[in-house]
Amino acid sequence: MAPSLLAFSSSAASGLPPKPQPPSSTPPSSASASARPRGFRRFMLARAAAGRDPEPPPLPEGTEKRSLAVRTGEVFLGLAALLVRAGRGGGAAVEEVEAKDGVVWEQRPEDVDAERRRRELTGPGFSFSAAGLLFPYHLGVAQCLIDRGYLTERTPLAGSSAGAIICAVIASGNTMQDALQVTKDLADNCRSNGTAFRLGAVLKDVLDRFLPDDVHIRCNGRIRVAITQLSWRPRGLLVDQFDSKDDVISAVITSSFIPGYLAPRPATFFRNRLCIDGGLTLFMPPTSASETVRICAFPASRLGLQGIGISPDCNPENRASPRQLFNWALEPAEDEVLDKLYELGYLDAADLVTQFQEATDEESKERIVANLANFAYDPYNYTFMRQLNILELFLDCITEPNERLIEFGIGGICNSCADPANASVITQCGGIPLVIQCLSSPVKNTVNYALGALYYLCNPSTKKDILKPEVLKAVREYAAAGDANTSFRNLANAFLDKHVNS
């Protein structure tokens, strides 16, 4: 029987209903929905500068009899914790990880430019740590981020071990509540038939039934799976391109392969490489976003980690001990515990979100607009954006002296104006002169977005406002830019071919 959770904070006190029902907090109002996060890096540095929570005293050794699964897993998790303390396996940018840890980067050359473009207009990404069977904690965190609008269909994700499985689940389009129920079914199977040596086969069967057939398409370029490749020394391997559903499942199970725990063998093969659990080398891998918020299912202070966005340290009172968490990570807890872990993950994420929303600095404004511009990629969000006057917000940003706000504002206009209803709003709000103004910007991205926006905004009713001599002169200059500015040349020529030369 799993240890009691009666010492945990109650659902009633938190304002959240009992799980597995989804949190019934009211949907964000228009004001709160548009208040997107910014300043993750600055906020984290400030938190670290304020001093880490005091290290809890060492826990006495438990007297309970531990199974082979727990003993095997504890050795592996202990080794991973030592590497994390030594500065390996964190959530630095890919370039830093490559230089410091010799990470093997399996991104295809043709994806490099696409990723660079995604970074230009994206909100923060989220990296989920290795967690063993503590899936519900990560599911609760994800549900909160979804509810608050921070986690969308385009948000970059990364994960190691259980965190990699969570990334695939999020990208699959399944609900977190459905995933929680599947976790309970998995736990029940392991409680009845054993965990050690068979968890890998059970997990593979569960994922095969739960994930959709097109999950590889949904994951490609969006999620990163961390794997430890065994050569002359363990090296991190990052995978973000998948050929099939089976390839995704193989990647996340390899990322979770604790030697002698998932199966009765010391390692496994992935794409002809000998590999083990990704948490050993990349405990919280970097995402493709310019900033990554790291999420740890264990108390970050006990692992010696700083700058962690979401972890049990967010609400340290009345929590399970690290020993209990390690036990539940390696042997499935009772359903009551799984429900509580889900709720606590939700609450820890909500704590950090609240602090982000209170930020008022200039950096916060930039991140808010970058997030909204990212939303503008998806037609599903267009009605929502018009209701909240987000298109008008983009236009307001173009009038700001801050070049970053101008860049993100015109980027949002460019991303959304292919839709006729959005284009009509932009035109009616006097947006065309503001877009034309961006053609003379010193920022390359701003000019690119302006050319793209004019391509879609120009129509029979707006030609007289757009096809002015000074505008055509600027566009023709960009069309003659040559190889030095290929993007300028291509966009400008596309505009001239459609609206002037035809």
Side-chain angles (χ1 to χ4, degrees):
M1 179 68 68
S4 171
L5 278 170
L6 295 179
F8 284 20
S9 58
S10 68
S11 297
S14 71
L16 292 174
K19 297 296 178 291
Q21 296 299 322
S24 62
S25 54
T26 57
S29 64
S30 60
S32 63
S34 63
R36 298 290 185 257
R38 178 52 185 150
F40 283 90
R41 184 181 294 112
R42 181 178 294 178
F43 179 80
M44 292 306 162
L45 290 175
R47 172 182 275 190
R52 205 176 61 196
D53 292 337
E55 184 77 10
L59 293 172
E61 284 297 321
T63 58
E64 73 277 9
K65 182 178 179 180
R66 299 194 299 279
S67 70
L68 174 62
V70 171
R71 292 197 301 272
T72 303
E74 281 181 344
V75 171
F76 188 85
L77 291 176
L79 178 59
L82 288 174
L83 290 174
V84 169
R85 288 193 184 98
R88 296 174 61 87
V94 166
E95 295 80 4
E96 297 174 29
V97 176
E98 286 175 336
K100 182 175 65 172
D101 295 337
V103 167
V104 180
W105 179 231
E106 201 168 84
Q107 189 180 35
R108 299 177 303 184
E110 58 265 32
D111 299 317
V112 174
D113 288 339
E115 175 171 315
R116 187 177 296 114
R117 289 193 296 270
R118 284 202 303 273
R119 279 188 165 207
E120 291 170 357
L121 269 179
T122 185
F126 295 95
S127 177
F128 294 84
S129 74
L133 293 170
L134 300 179
F135 296 113
Y137 182 85
H138 282 333
L139 292 173
V141 170
Q143 184 64 62
C144 179
L145 296 174
I146 292 169
D147 287 349
R148 305 299 179 91
Y150 292 79
L151 188 52
T152 73
E153 293 180 355
R154 296 181 180 272
T155 302
L157 303 170
S160 178
S161 195
I165 295 174
I166 293 299
C167 291
V169 168
I170 295 171
S172 75
N174 284 298
T175 69
M176 300 304 102
Q177 290 74 37
D178 287 344
L180 178 61
Q181 183 56 53
V182 169
T183 301
K184 291 180 180 179
D185 294 340
L186 171 69
D188 181 64
N189 184 308
C190 292
R191 286 193 297 264
S192 301
N193 303 304
T195 304
F197 303 154
R198 62 183 299 274
L199 178 59
V202 176
L203 190 56
K204 183 179 186 302
D205 180 64
V206 167
L207 292 174
D208 188 60
R209 287 185 283 109
F210 186 64
L211 297 178
D213 290 339
D214 66 344
V215 67
H216 58 294
I217 298 173
R218 298 168 183 254
C219 290
N220 279 343
R222 181 187 178 191
I223 79 168
R224 287 177 171 176
V225 175
I227 292 170
T228 297
Q229 177 182 339
L230 299 178
S231 51
W232 66 274
R233 68 176 177 86
R235 301 180 67 187
L237 171 66
L238 286 171
V239 183
D240 78 335
Q241 297 293 326
F242 309 92
D243 298 327
S244 64
K245 174 181 176 178
D246 287 343
D247 195 33
V248 173
I249 294 174
S250 177
V252 299
I253 289 182
T254 301
S255 180
S256 307
F257 196 91
I258 297 178
Y261 176 66
L262 249 67
R265 57 182 184 272
T268 189
F269 279 94
F270 175 73
R271 297 180 182 174
N272 297 318
R273 294 181 173 95
L274 191 64
C275 301
I276 57 174
D277 192 295
L280 185 66
T281 49
L282 289 165
F283 194 70
M284 284 171 284
T287 69
S288 62
S290 57
E291 297 179 18
T292 295
V293 179
R294 297 186 290 169
I295 301 160
C296 184
F298 301 101
S301 59
R302 295 304 297 264
L303 293 179
L305 297 173
Q306 297 187 32
I308 303 302
I310 300 169
S311 82
D313 288 343
C314 291
N315 293 289
E317 298 298 324
N318 300 318
R319 299 297 284 259
S321 68
R323 168 65 66 190
Q324 287 174 322
L325 290 176
F326 274 105
N327 283 348
W328 293 331
L330 296 166
E331 285 192 327
E334 299 294 332
D335 286 357
E336 176 193 24
V337 176
L338 300 179
D339 285 338
K340 199 68 182 182
L341 289 170
Y342 180 100
E343 179 182 337
L344 292 171
Y346 192 101
L347 291 173
D348 289 343
D351 177 77
L352 194 66
V353 165
T354 298
Q355 296 181 56
F356 289 154
Q357 289 178 334
E358 292 174 353
T360 58
D361 53 71
E362 193 73 8
E363 198 171 295
S364 297
K365 296 178 184 177
E366 293 172 10
R367 181 55 60 200
I368 289 169
V369 181
N371 277 333
L372 294 174
N374 194 43
F375 289 172
Y377 278 114
D378 193 344
Y380 179 83
N381 297 322
Y382 287 166
T383 300
F384 171 79
M385 291 172 59
R386 289 193 293 269
Q387 290 174 346
L388 295 179
N389 299 322
I390 291 175
L391 298 172
E392 290 89 333
L393 173 64
F394 289 150
L395 294 175
D396 288 342
C397 288
I398 297 176
T399 67
E400 293 284 331
N402 183 329
E403 290 290 349
R404 294 274 286 174
L405 285 177
I406 295 173
E407 175 188 348
F408 296 145
I410 187 62
I413 294 296
C414 179
N415 292 340
S416 58
C417 67
D419 178 79
N422 291 341
S424 177
V425 171
I426 293 166
T427 302
Q428 292 172 10
C429 291
I432 287 177
L434 296 175
V435 174
I436 292 173
Q437 169 185 311
C438 292
L439 289 175
S440 59
S441 170
V443 180
K444 180 179 178 180
N445 285 337
T446 299
V447 175
N448 271 331
Y449 300 141
L451 287 169
L454 289 175
Y455 177 90
Y456 288 110
L457 290 172
C458 190
N459 58 51
S461 64
T462 60
K463 275 190 173 184
K464 60 181 176 57
D465 297 316
I466 295 177
L467 300 183
K468 295 180 177 180
E470 61 271 23
V471 175
L472 293 177
K473 179 177 182 293
V475 173
R476 288 191 172 106
E477 289 175 355
Y478 288 129
D483 294 336
N485 285 294
T486 304
S487 59
F488 287 176
R489 183 190 64 196
N490 292 344
L491 285 169
N493 279 319
F495 176 89
L496 293 173
D497 289 344
K498 181 176 181 180
H499 301 295
V500 179
N501 301 332
S502 58

